[in-house]
Amino acid sequence: VSCLLLLFIIPVTYSSYYTESSSNPNFKVAPWKYRINASNDQEIIINLADTITENKYSMTTVVPGTRGAIPLEIDFSEAKVASDYVISLDTNVYHLPSNLKLYEDSDLTKEFQSISGSVLLDEEVVTRYIYWKWEYTTEDETESWANEELQIAFRIDLSQKIE
C-alpha cells in the first residue's frame, strides 16, 4: 500500500508546471506629418518676384530698390507630437546679387542666418517671414541679373520636441 501511495505522490510532487503566455500588444504611433507652403518637401524654392512688397521701383520684377517678404507656412495639422524646427538657407541653391540681403525682421535690421522655433501640440499652423531687400547703390547690378529668375531655397529641419 505504501508503494502505491508513493507512485501517486511522487509524480505529483515532482511534476513541473508550464505556463504559456501569448500577447498581442497594440501600440499606436502618433503621426508626424507636416507641410511647408503646401509642399511635403524638406526644401522649398521661392521665386522672389512672387514676394515683392510695396516699394518705389517695381511691383512685378525684382530690381535694385525692391523689397519683399517671404512667408513660410509650416502646417502641423496632421502631426500629433510637439516639434522643433530650424529654417536655413540651402547654400547649394543660394545665388543672389551681392546687394540683395535677407533679414529676420521687417525693420531689416537683423540679417538672416537661420530661424528656429517650437510648435506645441495645440498649434497647427506656424507662419514665419523672411524679409529681403535689394539695396539700390551706384554699383549697377541690373545688367548682370537682367532676365534672371531670382530664386532662393530654404531647408526646413524638423525633429520631435524632447524636454
Side-chain angles (χ1 to χ4, degrees):
V1 175
S2 65
C3 277
L4 283 175
L5 281 174
L6 282 176
L7 287 175
F8 289 111
I9 294 175
I10 290 176
V12 173
T13 307
Y14 290 106
S15 63
S16 58
Y17 295 93
Y18 294 98
T19 58
E20 193 172 299
S21 171
S22 70
S23 63
N24 189 5
N26 244 346
F27 295 103
K28 289 187 177 182
V29 177
W32 193 58
K33 185 177 179 183
Y34 59 88
R35 298 172 62 78
I36 311 296
N37 288 10
S39 170
N40 290 327
D41 294 333
Q42 190 174 9
E43 179 183 274
I44 186 160
I45 297 175
I46 305 289
N47 185 340
L48 292 183
D50 297 335
T51 66
I52 295 174
T53 57
E54 190 147 340
N55 65 82
K56 299 176 187 176
Y57 304 97
S58 175
M59 290 301 294
T60 58
T61 306
V62 179
V63 298
T66 55
R67 62 175 59 207
I70 302 166
L72 295 175
E73 183 180 274
I74 310 169
D75 181 353
F76 288 93
S77 61
E78 295 183 49
K80 302 299 180 207
V81 296
S83 302
D84 291 324
Y85 63 88
V86 177
I87 301 169
S88 58
L89 286 175
D90 184 337
T91 54
N92 295 327
V93 184
Y94 179 70
H95 181 68
L96 295 173
S98 60
N99 288 332
L100 196 151
K101 305 288 184 206
L102 302 172
Y103 300 93
E104 291 182 24
D105 62 324
S106 60
D107 294 330
L108 309 178
T109 59
K110 186 175 181 186
E111 277 200 53
F112 176 81
Q113 301 298 322
S114 67
I115 297 175
S116 59
S118 296
V119 178
L120 303 177
L121 288 175
D122 59 343
E123 295 178 278
E124 289 193 357
V125 177
V126 173
T127 303
R128 298 296 302 258
Y129 288 89
I130 298 169
Y131 303 90
W132 62 269
K133 183 175 183 183
W134 190 354
E135 289 291 342
Y136 186 80
T137 65
T138 55
E139 180 186 325
D140 188 11
E141 294 181 297
T142 308
E143 188 174 317
S144 59
W145 290 93
N147 298 318
E148 291 285 328
E149 195 171 274
L150 295 180
Q151 295 181 334
I152 190 162
F154 294 100
R155 177 176 178 80
I156 292 82
D157 293 303
L158 295 136
S159 60
Q160 183 176 346
K161 185 173 181 61
I162 300 171
E163 288 191 12

